[in-house]
Amino acid sequence: MARVFDPQKESQDLGFGTVLSKQQQLRLLNRDGSFNVKRFPPTLWEKLGSYHSLVTMSWPRFFLLIGIAYFAINVPFALAYYFAGPAALSGDQSLHGFLRCFFFSIDTFATIGYGNITPATLLTNFLVTIEAIFGLLSVGLVAGLVYARFARPTAKIAYSKNAVIAPYRGLTGFMFRLVNARQNELIEVNAKVILSRFEDRDGRRQRVFHNLELERAIVIFFPLSWTVVHPIDEQSPLWGWTDAKLREAESEFLILLTATDEVFATIVHSRTSYSASEVIWDARFSNMFVEEKGELSFDPEKLDAVEKLRS
Amino acid sequence: MARVFDPQKESQDLGFGTVLSKQQQLRLLNRDGSFNVKRFPPTLWEKLGSYHSLVTMSWPRFFLLIGIAYFAINVPFALAYYFAGPAALSGDQSLHGFLRCFFFSIDTFATIGYGNITPATLLTNFLVTIEAIFGLLSVGLVAGLVYARFARPTAKIAYSKNAVIAPYRGLTGFMFRLVNARQNELIEVNAKVILSRFEDRDGRRQRVFHNLELERAIVIFFPLSWTVVHPIDEQSPLWGWTDAKLREAESEFLILLTATDEVFATIVHSRTSYSASEVIWDARFSNMFVEEKGELSFDPEKLDAVEKLRS
Amino acid sequence: MARVFDPQKESQDLGFGTVLSKQQQLRLLNRDGSFNVKRFPPTLWEKLGSYHSLVTMSWPRFFLLIGIAYFAINVPFALAYYFAGPAALSGDQSLHGFLRCFFFSIDTFATIGYGNITPATLLTNFLVTIEAIFGLLSVGLVAGLVYARFARPTAKIAYSKNAVIAPYRGLTGFMFRLVNARQNELIEVNAKVILSRFEDRDGRRQRVFHNLELERAIVIFFPLSWTVVHPIDEQSPLWGWTDAKLREAESEFLILLTATDEVFATIVHSRTSYSASEVIWDARFSNMFVEEKGELSFDPEKLDAVEKLRS
Amino acid sequence: MARVFDPQKESQDLGFGTVLSKQQQLRLLNRDGSFNVKRFPPTLWEKLGSYHSLVTMSWPRFFLLIGIAYFAINVPFALAYYFAGPAALSGDQSLHGFLRCFFFSIDTFATIGYGNITPATLLTNFLVTIEAIFGLLSVGLVAGLVYARFARPTAKIAYSKNAVIAPYRGLTGFMFRLVNARQNELIEVNAKVILSRFEDRDGRRQRVFHNLELERAIVIFFPLSWTVVHPIDEQSPLWGWTDAKLREAESEFLILLTATDEVFATIVHSRTSYSASEVIWDARFSNMFVEEKGELSFDPEKLDAVEKLRS
């Protein structure tokens, strides 16, 4: 099944490519998990025609697009009815000209059919026949897109704003924590932490990737929060490093998460990263549990809360 | 691929978190498999806006919500037609005022369009244009949600009310059984049983998790029932334990099941748990097969039937 | 990850249960892959209400059900309009009484709205409001069900009518072959063959399962046909067996197939079985390729064609 | 889990079957990844009735089919209204005969219901009842198909027109590169390269498959391009081979790719192949990055760009 991911492997660049791996002053992953590399931007046509963008764009933008398409379909039909002449439509004369034709088109496309205005000639009946199938197809397209937008498997993981380096079982540990920001249950949550930093190799300063061993890399349940811990023992690439050294090496901690969304039984992915400046040394995360009247409750608002330790 | 689930591992808390692991008098999993830990409850807005809750709420609640939305869309449009003045709509005068406008709005939104009442001004025609697109989008939204509710992969496993500890191949065994409560076929059914109990470690009473080895952890087919068996041999954490000791340790048997639903080829999950008080000692499950006129038949009603053994 | 499938394991019953494993004169799998064990049949209500049956029933039955539901919704509304009195509806008098109300109900439910008959009272307008939402919901339900029926991942594998035992590389081999009966591409096709037969163990005649090693258990591509071969060497449980002995032991070859459907990237399952009487000894499969005018073509009709060898 | 893919295995034919494996002058995979073997073509009926073809056909063909079905449903209903006699429909007389019936049928099927023509007899009302359910079902069918077409997981990988054999770390390497031609993110991209060529074995010239070891077979991220490299070391089946020898052996490099589409969390497949004549010797791929005003940007148009090396 081919050679698998080997963090020790010299040329391991995770797919960012050699050019980017040599590039400095560049964060690889943004905090929201998107890639900090730009492809040529898609053309407008690619954007509109792309199913992926129709599914991933925001709801307001989506509804705006639907609205534009609604007019873009009705205006040509309205024009066709208009140029078919005054005898093309019979009935209600309270409106005239193009507007009358436009509202008749809406009446037809949306399959309302009040009947106050009706097609009066062979040509207009034929136009109605065509517009009706556009109406039916549009409902199908919109229903399909709306469902696809809904059913898209997404995780909304909230990560602590900062990672900390804190005492951990007689050693220190690199830690960050996360909560599930949705109401759905995530199970079998899997974390991978990769340290990207610049090192001098063969006389050249180049980006090197290190896989950080975790105290626990998978949790079966994720009802509340999870603090991911990399113990900094002698095997750790962070052993003996300091805040200054970490910054100087332009270090970045890449966080890759997969989990199973129980509602749809799909695998969801989440990514983020912490740059050296987002790591707080000699601090620990505050307790997220509050005791009130003998009952423990959990406060997700405290996700980012950190207590500085006296060093 | 990171460190995998290791039941021997000291800090193995399955993701419940250390605070909960120290908490006593708390059942971790409810009988229906839900977590016995409360996050802060979602706000009403989160509930309404959450796709997951729209998909997981009960059908009556879903239809109620659809009904509410139906009115919530039509009332503002009805008001708009009403405030557009008496000349805004022409036709049928059997109803008056707001109600006439409301039923015209329904007529339009649902794209019925009887035509007994019709828009008579530019403004009302424009309102109709807007309402029609709302109607089309609503059909799309409802269709998408209904499908998502249907297509959601769910298993309905019925577990025996009690687990038993009964003789098994010269030893005793911890056993429970299950049937598929749906008509669909489940294949490749996988069981994992984890014992959670309090033990004294390092002078502190704390929750410890033990993975229980099963006589068989996977079955390829699941046409009828499956009795899951943990043989209590010398390696078992139950070796030498009694009913009283099990209760005293606040033991809980966590059951995790995965299976493949053959109809949609999706992985489904099911969970339950047995507390110490739900385990019957010196009892065995009754046969679920009935012989009638030389034919064997299977009676799922007997799932819970247990026969006490003379000890 | 728990104990995995171990064909050597004594109690390996694949999930059919111990009772069935002791049962004779019973074929475990039917030729179409369904289980030859009956659960209690579902009630009519379970059948109607079950999403799985709505998705797996035949198309004629599905359309029939839709038709019945269509009437079942319209008749109560028609009755409601009827009992609302003769003044409830105004307009077209060409039909009278209940039928007039029924067709008005259809006109409303299907959101046609000719307008030749219109609601004339507050009550009928209210009924129309309710019926319209039923109409919208019905389109959503039907669209969702139709899509679910379409999207259901299914493989249609045609298996050769008989398996053969034929010379194979100096030995003999148990062989059967299969073609993809659909136009879609299947890839990564995986076969597992399990021999079920009765043997005398510990003085009792009981069903034993043997995993048959295959010459090749997976093919990456499956463009045409695949002949699955189990070489009968000294390790094979078929070594030294004859046709008579195989029948006497009530042998059954269970065939389990999984494959990836490339169109929807889903895993599909297929099963069948060959009883001892469906195995032809000293025969081989005929070539499925035809050479015509120097061109090779493939004839799926020849799937079952077998040539008897002189022994 | 049965015997896994073993590239060394003598009879490894990937599923193309022994006859095809002996066939010469035949490319196994076309550049677009389709198989270069024809099954008997599907009948028209199979094509129309096949869900897979409805989902995989091009959009123009799909819309054409919808248009044809639209007429195919309305013409019989129009005929039924026509043969129901002149009294069957009342209202608007601007059109006559069959055409009047046809446009009334469209008006009904699309649930417009202008009401300028209305059913006037029991028979026509009954026909309308039937046609209305056809209309509702059609919206469902179209919506389902449209969504299925959208949601189908597909990767659009653009492969370099040619592969090259170029210097690589003191050796030479077989290389090709690829970009994601869609806007969606692909992650965990997995490549497998299989060399198919004719060799003399046991005195017969026959097709042999070799798995080519890759410098890296999986990348976690695929934001830009990926150059897949097979280093030609002493273990490589290409060691010591020349362009002429490769052509003479009718060599073909089969490329199999799987990746995870992040938008729908589905596994997508892509295939292509390079014949010996599509491999350029002593050439290397041009840089796809352009430096402009100190900023690096990526030019996917340069995918095929190759620079010939002086040998």
Side-chain angles (χ1 to χ4, degrees), chain A residues 39-309:
Chain A
R39 286 185 255 185
F40 276 90
T43 63
L44 180 69
W45 182 247
E46 278 177 330
K47 263 196 156 156
L48 290 180
S50 153
Y51 173 51
H52 277 100
S53 57
L54 285 170
V55 164
T56 54
M57 65 175 58
S58 69
W59 281 103
R61 186 182 277 253
F62 177 72
F63 285 128
L64 182 67
L65 208 70
I66 296 281
I68 291 171
Y70 183 49
F71 279 86
I73 290 170
N74 278 286
V75 166
F77 276 104
L79 287 172
Y81 297 122
Y82 183 68
F83 287 117
L89 301 174
S90 64
D92 194 330
Q93 298 284 350
S94 61
L95 287 175
H96 303 279
F98 175 75
L99 278 177
R100 183 171 180 248
C101 295
F102 178 77
F103 292 124
F104 171 73
S105 169
I106 292 285
D107 186 51
T108 302
F109 176 79
T111 75
I112 299 175
Y114 292 121
N116 54 343
I117 307 176
T118 54
T121 65
L122 182 61
L123 175 62
T124 36
N125 270 296
F126 182 72
L127 287 170
V128 160
T129 300
I130 304 298
E131 187 162 18
I133 187 77
F134 268 77
L136 295 182
L137 276 172
S138 298
V139 172
L141 279 157
V142 168
L145 282 171
V146 163
Y147 171 67
R149 292 176 63 89
F150 273 150
R152 217 190 119 201
T154 51
K156 201 167 154 201
I157 303 289
Y159 295 92
S160 58
K161 198 174 148 247
N162 295 103
V164 301
I165 289 183
Y168 176 78
R169 307 203 165 190
L171 299 161
T172 53
F174 169 85
M175 305 177 195
F176 61 95
R177 67 181 175 188
L178 42 123
V179 299
N180 181 359
R182 290 255 170 79
Q183 289 297 321
N184 60 326
E185 295 298 350
L186 293 177
I187 56 176
E188 286 162 26
V189 186
N190 218 303
K192 188 187 290 240
V193 180
I194 292 158
L195 168 61
S196 146
R197 70 182 177 204
F198 281 85
E199 299 181 6
D200 286 313
R201 295 227 169 156
D202 316 324
R204 284 184 308 145
R205 179 171 162 88
Q206 57 185 27
R207 197 185 288 272
V208 176
F209 293 89
H210 297 279
N211 199 28
L212 299 190
E213 285 282 309
L214 302 180
E215 169 239 18
R216 186 182 322 134
I218 186 165
V219 291
I220 297 190
F221 303 134
F222 181 41
L224 300 169
S225 71
W226 179 23
T227 302
V228 179
V229 179
H230 160 67
I232 306 181
D233 57 15
E234 291 191 28
Q235 266 71 50
S236 166
L238 291 175
W239 182 254
W241 280 59
T242 61
D243 190 3
K245 210 170 155 194
L246 214 57
R247 287 166 190 261
E248 198 275 328
E250 294 181 50
S251 305
E252 180 177 355
F253 297 84
L254 308 172
I255 316 296
L256 315 177
L257 221 84
T258 59
T260 298
D261 175 335
E262 222 184 26
V263 172
F264 284 98
T266 47
I267 305 290
V268 290
H269 297 261
S270 171
R271 287 191 296 269
T272 192
S273 86
Y274 294 99
S275 67
S277 62
E278 285 156 353
V279 178
I280 306 182
W281 289 67
D282 296 313
R284 69 164 177 228
F285 286 115
S286 309
N287 194 347
M288 293 179 78
F289 287 86
V290 192
E291 194 160 359
E292 251 176 53
K293 304 168 198 159
E295 283 215 340
L296 264 194
S297 68
F298 177 76
D299 184 359
E301 300 290 316
K302 289 176 114 178
L303 175 63
D304 298 335
V306 161
E307 292 160 20
K308 196 72 186 166
L309 301 172

Side-chain angles (χ1 to χ4, degrees), chain D residues 95-217:
Chain D
L95 287 176
H96 304 280
F98 175 77
L99 278 176
R100 183 171 179 248
C101 295
F102 178 77
F103 292 124
F104 171 73
S105 169
I106 293 285
D107 186 51
T108 301
F109 176 81
T111 77
I112 299 175
Y114 291 122
N116 53 344
I117 307 176
T118 54
T121 66
L122 182 61
L123 174 63
T124 36
N125 270 295
F126 182 73
L127 287 170
V128 160
T129 300
I130 304 299
E131 187 161 18
I133 187 76
F134 267 79
L136 295 181
L137 276 173
S138 299
V139 172
L141 279 157
V142 168
L145 283 171
V146 163
Y147 171 66
R149 292 176 63 89
F150 273 151
R152 216 191 120 200
T154 51
K156 201 167 154 201
I157 303 289
Y159 295 91
S160 58
K161 198 173 149 246
N162 296 103
V164 301
I165 290 184
Y168 175 77
R169 304 200 167 192
L171 299 161
T172 52
F174 168 85
M175 306 177 194
F176 61 96
R177 66 182 176 187
L178 41 122
V179 299
N180 180 359
R182 290 255 170 79
Q183 290 296 321
N184 60 325
E185 296 298 350
L186 294 177
I187 56 177
E188 285 160 28
V189 186
N190 218 302
K192 187 187 290 242
V193 180
I194 292 157
L195 169 61
S196 146
R197 71 181 176 202
F198 281 85
E199 298 181 6
D200 286 313
R201 294 224 169 159
D202 316 325
R204 284 185 308 146
R205 180 172 161 87
Q206 56 186 28
R207 197 185 289 273
V208 177
F209 294 89
H210 297 278
N211 199 27
L212 299 190
E213 286 281 309
L214 301 181
E215 169 239 18
R216 187 182 320 135

